[in-house]
């Protein structure tokens, strides 16, 4: 959580210094969701993410060096400077991608769930096939309260429920879709209730409590792994900042912001760890320092990475790019 | 055609202000006109175009919608079919993909499928093009897709005056109209005529700069770039006429013809990928219909056949800049097959 927080804070600073072009949607305040959920996942699990994806990618093992390099539009970035913040993906890490389209990742996770279900068959009939290793895999899709109004959300829940796919739909309800508060974009309070339309479980977690998220997602993952089908998990949380860097978020009532800043997931977890004598102040400080150090090196790495050569724009359109050129 | 009747007072507005003024005037003229879109209410739209309209016209007429593109477009269509005109906004034209059924299978075909007995008078405003590192899912120029669908009118407004006049015509038009606005034009300024009836008819192109050697066709953000290229080429003794079609459907064939009669050479510019872009259609029209006027092969200057990359270096490579536009014009001048000396 600290790594995500500091990664994001630095990204904002670096953007203001001109290192990062394009959009940046900070995840600050929501760290407990990514960390709690990804802690419940194993090496054969997959996630799809959103426009607010840095936290999910880091929690899934993303390397800050390649992430910053991508944000800086440098060659060593995860997407070779073609994707940027909105599109970071790395299949090896089980990250099917952040997404610039609201709701875009949800059906893709259903497809991943279908592949994972099939892996169970492959494991039975062709145990040597490398895909058989994914036989216990689950697919997780993160999305926002706003995205739950998209057709793609409803179609995906229905399909995954129908086919009992190992998919966990994680709605991060941060109370806003862009500048619009939840009560102005939907009549329900709990998005989890939408699960009942598809006869699947709809669970609610305290999205600012990393342990609660872990507990609820673990339960959903266990069900999915056992072939009991999908779960919709709603995590109640809040984004501390505006919708994107540059948006001041003034459309939010001051008391609301103050309430949620008090419920900061990192502050609370720290308190818990200290109160339970699970960690000492010194250990937490050492952790902070380790994070600082890691990010320091990541930023240096990204700065040292060269920009792409302009002609690289023509590469990567297809697997075979006919002499490196985009097809006529 | 001239955009500004002399009698009317000219003021300088930004492109965004001009669009807002068109909306305000039309909403005042027709109290049944509705606006629909994501975050268009209180926040005034992501690009600030609808700022103040909620306060002015109320939440019954400025309808802030959930993130549900397909439902938004279908709703606008349904309302229009019952005689309630609407202007729906798609925040980035890339997201029109989520509403393709309603645009392409429903709206575009309603009139035709009902034998002309029902029309669907509504407008979809869409923000197009790249604004710098907006990357592959927020930067596309998809106008050609819609021109390939009979039943849709397609407007590309390139100046504040055009934006106002064309949007007003689009709103009063009896058919579905897709109205493309470019992200990088919102802050551009220009003279905009006042007055409720300062309409610019759909289907009329505009000479943005007079010239006699080459006709350079450009629209949206490529228009200012083409004008700059033309300026630079004037220094080299090449006289470039810059012509903006303003609407792609209906397309002003007569206007293009008039310009080619003067110049006899044609260069067409677009931000969209080259393959199957609207440039290809313009080139085909010229080759089929105006071939005798041409003194040189037609030249297209387009975006590359790639998705839009994120890195600014890559993006600059993909989208035509002034230098590439100028190079295209020079090439056409060099390649003249029936120039004065040759024929
Ligand atoms: C299909 C589509 N429509 C609209 C947008 C513009 N947009 C980007 S983020 C966003 C709000 C998303 O809200 P939510 O799903 O609640 O996620 P949050 O930002 O709260 O994390 C919108 C409308 C988009 N990217 N894609």
């Amino acid at each position: 959580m600290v790594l995500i927080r500091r990664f994001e804070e630095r990204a904002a600073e670096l953007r203001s210094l001109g290192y990062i072009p394009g959009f940046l949607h900070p995840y600050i305040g929501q760290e407990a969701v990514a960390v709690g959920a990804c802690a419940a996942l194993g090496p054969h699990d997959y996630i799809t993410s959103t426009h607010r994806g840095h936290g999910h990618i880091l929690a899934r093992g993303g390397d800050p060096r390649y992430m910053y390099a991508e944000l800086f539009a440098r060659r060593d970035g995860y997407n070779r400077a073609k994707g940027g913040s909105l599109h970071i993906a790395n299949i090896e890490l089980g990250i099917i991608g952040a997404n610039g389209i609201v709701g875009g990742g949800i059906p893709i996770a259903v497809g991943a769930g279908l592949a994972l279900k099939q892996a169970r068959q492959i494991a039975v009939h062709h145990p040597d096939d490398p895909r058989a290793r994914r036989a216990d895999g689950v697919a997780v899709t993160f999305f926002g309260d706003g995205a739950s109004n998209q057709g793609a959300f409803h179609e995906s829940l229905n399909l995954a429920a129908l086919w009992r796919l190992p998919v966990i739909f994680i709605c991060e309800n941060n109370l806003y879709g862009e500048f619009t508060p939840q009560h102005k974009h939907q009549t329900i309070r709990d998005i989890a209730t939408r699960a009942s339309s598809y006869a699947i479980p709809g669970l609610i977690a305290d999205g600012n409590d990393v342990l609660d998220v872990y507990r609820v997602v673990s339960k959903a993952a266990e069900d999915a792994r056992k072939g009991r089908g999908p779960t919709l998990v709603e995590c109640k949380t809040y984004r501390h900042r505006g919708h994107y860097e540059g948006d001041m978020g003034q459309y939010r009532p001051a008391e609301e912001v103050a309430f949620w800043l008090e419920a900061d997931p990192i502050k609370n977890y720290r308190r818990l760890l200290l109160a339970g004598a699970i960690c000492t102040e010194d250990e937490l400080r050492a952790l902070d320092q380790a994070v600082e150090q890691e990010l320091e090196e990541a930023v240096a790495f990204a700065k040292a990475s060269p920009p792409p050569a302009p002609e690289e724009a023509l590469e990567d359109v297809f697997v075979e790019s006919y002499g490196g050129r985009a097809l006529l | 055609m001239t955009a500004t009747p002399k009698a009317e007072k000219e003021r300088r507005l930004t492109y965004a202000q001009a669009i807002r003024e068109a909306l305000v005037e039309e909403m005042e003229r027709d109290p049944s006109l509705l606006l629909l879109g994501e975050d268009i209410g209180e926040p005034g739209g992501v690009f600030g175009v609808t700022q103040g309209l909620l306060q002015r016209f109320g939440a019954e007429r400025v309808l802030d919608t959930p993130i549900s593109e397909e439902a938004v477009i279908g709703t606008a269509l349904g309302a229009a079919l019952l005689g309630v005109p609407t202007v729906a906004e798609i925040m980035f034209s890339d997201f029109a993909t989520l509403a393709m059924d309603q645009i392409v299978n429903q709206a575009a075909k309603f009139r035709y499928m009902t034998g002309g007995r029902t029309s669907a008078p509504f407008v979809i405003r869409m923000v197009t093009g790249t604004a710098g590192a907006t990357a592959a899912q927020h930067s596309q120029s998809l106008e050609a897709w819609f021109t390939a669908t009979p039943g849709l009118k397609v407007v590309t407004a390139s100046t504040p005056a055009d934006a106002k006049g064309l949007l007003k015509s689009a709103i009063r038009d009896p058919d579905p109209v897709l109205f493309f606005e470019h992200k990088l034009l919102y802050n551009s300024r220009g003279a905009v005529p006042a007055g409720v009836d300062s309409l610019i008819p759909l289907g009329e192109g505009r000479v943005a700069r007079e010239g006699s050697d080459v006709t350079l066709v450009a629209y949206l953000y490529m228009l200012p770039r083409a004008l700059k290229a033309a300026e630079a080429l004037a220094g080299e003794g090449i006289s470039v006429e810059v012509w903006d079609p303003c609407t792609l459907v209906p397309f002003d064939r007569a206007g293009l013809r008039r310009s080619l009669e003067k110049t006899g050479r044609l260069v067409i510019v677009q931000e969209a990928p080259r393959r199957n872009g609207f440039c290809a259609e313009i080139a085909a029209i010229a080759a089929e219909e105006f071939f005798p006027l041409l003194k040189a092969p037609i030249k297209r200057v387009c975006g590359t056949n790639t998705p839009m990359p994120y890195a600014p270096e890559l993006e600059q490579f993909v989208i035509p800049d002034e230098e590439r536009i100028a190079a295209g014009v020079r090439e056409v001048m060099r390649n003249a097959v029936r120039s004065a000396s040759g024929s």
Side-chain angles (χ1 to χ4, degrees), chain A residues 269-288:
Chain A
Y269 193 51
R270 258 176 208 276
R271 235 180 259 145
L272 196 75
L273 289 172
L274 292 173
I278 297 159
C279 288
T280 64
E281 286 277 8
D282 281 347
E283 283 168 335
L284 291 177
R285 210 168 301 125
L287 179 87
D288 288 340

Side-chain angles (χ1 to χ4, degrees), chain A residues 17 60 68 84 111 169 174 181 217 257 270 286:
Chain A
L17 294 172
R60 196 64 194 130
Y68 277 135
F169 297 90
N174 62 13
V217 175
V257 177
R270 258 176 208 276

Side-chain angles (χ1 to χ4, degrees), chain A residues 37-52:
Chain A
C38 289
L41 303 183
H44 306 130
D45 298 333
Y46 289 83
I47 67 165
T48 70
S49 176
T50 67
H51 56 286
R52 205 178 296 291

Side-chain angles (χ1 to χ4, degrees), chain A residues 71 87 100 149-150 178 180 327, chain B residues 39 68-69 137 275 310-311:
Chain A
L71 297 181
H87 308 291
N149 298 321
Q150 285 285 28
E178 248 179 42
T180 305
L327 296 184
Chain B
D39 278 323
S68 305
E69 284 80 8
Q137 294 176 333
R275 193 196 304 125
Y310 167 68

Side-chain angles (χ1 to χ4, degrees), chain B residues 41-52:
Chain B
E42 203 83 58
V46 175
F47 297 94
V49 172
T50 54
Q51 244 154 36

Side-chain angles (χ1 to χ4, degrees), chain A residues 74-98:
Chain A
R74 302 295 171 89
R75 223 189 219 150
D76 295 300
Y78 268 121
N79 303 32
R80 300 181 64 216
K82 294 240 170 76
S85 168
L86 284 176
H87 308 291
I88 296 179
N90 188 270
I91 289 282
E92 288 77 35
L93 290 171
I95 300 164
I96 308 181

